[in-house]
């Protein structure tokens, strides 16, 4: 079946511009995660959506970052007034849920490589 | 000090060798331990999953957890060039869905 898809695969933007990154999770997965991966670094948690519950935004690095998930499916991560330090790969993952073992089998998309010039 | 430490490598070994990849951690509450494999320009994929201490084997891969030493390992037997990738460890305290990730070790298997 179809995996997690993300678009665009690459995005080059000028400092100060806003960008939107899209994630289409696996159908039926109620949990959705956004991560940021910088060169040589591990995955940095950004935000987590679980069903209709309020999202956990504790990982968002500043108020320039926001995310929404419409209809419990597609999610958009928005970065306003981009800065050079925002350059990274942004990864989206989904899972069947947050309870029990299955919550830890996160299926990742290929990521969006963001470059801020 | 990071909660999870992992040597970024690169680690280069000849084909057929046994590979040992390791992570150390500081949070004694971690109960779930995972290894993900990430090929270049791809997202990570779950390779092995272990709960609490002990060993788990899956084909050429063996995951070990030593909670007393706060140390986990992934062994790859009869390594193949297709095993060349970055291997990330991740762990969680359990009901906490937030995984804490190592930086990843880049592994290169030379034919």
């Amino acid at each position: 079946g179809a995996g997690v898809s993300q678009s665009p695969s690459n995005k080059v933007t000028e400092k100060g511009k806003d960008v939107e990154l899209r994630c289409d999770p696996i159908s039926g997965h109620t949990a959705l995660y956004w991560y940021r991966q910088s060169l040589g670094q591990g995955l940095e948690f950004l935000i987590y959506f679980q069903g209709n519950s309020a999202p956990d935004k504790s990982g968002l690095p500043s108020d320039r970052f926001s995310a929404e998930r419409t209809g419990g499916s597609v999610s958009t991560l928005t970065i306003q007034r981009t800065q050079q330090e925002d350059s990274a790969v942004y990864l989206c993952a989904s899972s069947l849920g947050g309870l029990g073992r299955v919550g830890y089998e996160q299926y990742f998309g290929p990521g969006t490589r963001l470059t801020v010039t | 000090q990071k909660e999870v430490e992992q040597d970024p490598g690169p680690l280069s070994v000849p084909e057929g060798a046994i590979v040992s990849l390791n992570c150390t951690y500081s949070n004694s509450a971690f109960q779930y331990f995972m290894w993900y494999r990430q090929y270049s320009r791809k997202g990570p994929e779950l390779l092995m999953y272990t709960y609490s201490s002990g060993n788990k084997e899956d084909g050429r891969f063996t995951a070990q957890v030593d909670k007393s030493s706060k140390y986990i390992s992934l062994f790859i037997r009869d390594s193949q060039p297709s095993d060349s990738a970055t291997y990330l460890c991740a762990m969680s305290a359990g009901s906490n869905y937030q995984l804490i990730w190592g930086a990843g070790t880049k592994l290169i298997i030379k034919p």
Side-chain angles (χ1 to χ4, degrees), chain A residues 29-43:
Chain A
H29 281 193
T30 59
L32 186 146
Y33 314 76
W34 281 99
Y35 294 93
R36 180 167 68 176
Q37 186 176 33
S38 301
L39 190 64
Q41 302 295 315
L43 274 65

Side-chain angles (χ1 to χ4, degrees), chain A:
Chain A
V4 178
S5 61
Q6 292 185 247
S7 60
S9 55
N10 286 282
K11 177 71 177 179
V12 180
T13 189
E14 293 180 352
K15 177 182 173 181
K17 300 281 190 182
D18 297 352
V19 294
E20 284 189 354
L21 312 179
R22 177 187 168 103
C23 172
D24 282 272
I26 292 173
S27 178
H29 281 193
T30 59
L32 186 146
Y33 314 76
W34 281 99
Y35 294 93
R36 180 167 68 176
Q37 186 176 33
S38 301
L39 190 64
Q41 302 295 315
L43 274 65
E44 176 189 3
F45 166 78
L46 297 178
I47 189 169
Y48 163 69
F49 296 90
Q50 171 59 54
N52 295 320
S53 302
D56 179 347
K57 306 179 182 180
S58 61
L60 295 179
S62 77
D63 59 9
R64 296 186 296 106
F65 288 73
S66 63
E68 63 177 19
R69 188 178 185 191
T70 53
S73 181
V74 172
S75 177
T76 302
L77 177 69
T78 301
I79 309 173
Q80 296 178 309
R81 304 181 303 281
T82 52
Q83 304 294 312
Q84 288 186 329
E85 60 263 28
D86 299 335
S87 296
V89 175
Y90 289 82
L91 290 162
C92 173
S94 69
S95 69
L96 279 170
L99 298 176
R101 180 182 184 274
V102 295
Y104 303 100
E105 293 190 49
Q106 297 184 20
Y107 296 83
F108 284 82
T112 294
R113 187 172 300 271
L114 175 66
T115 304
V116 182
T117 61

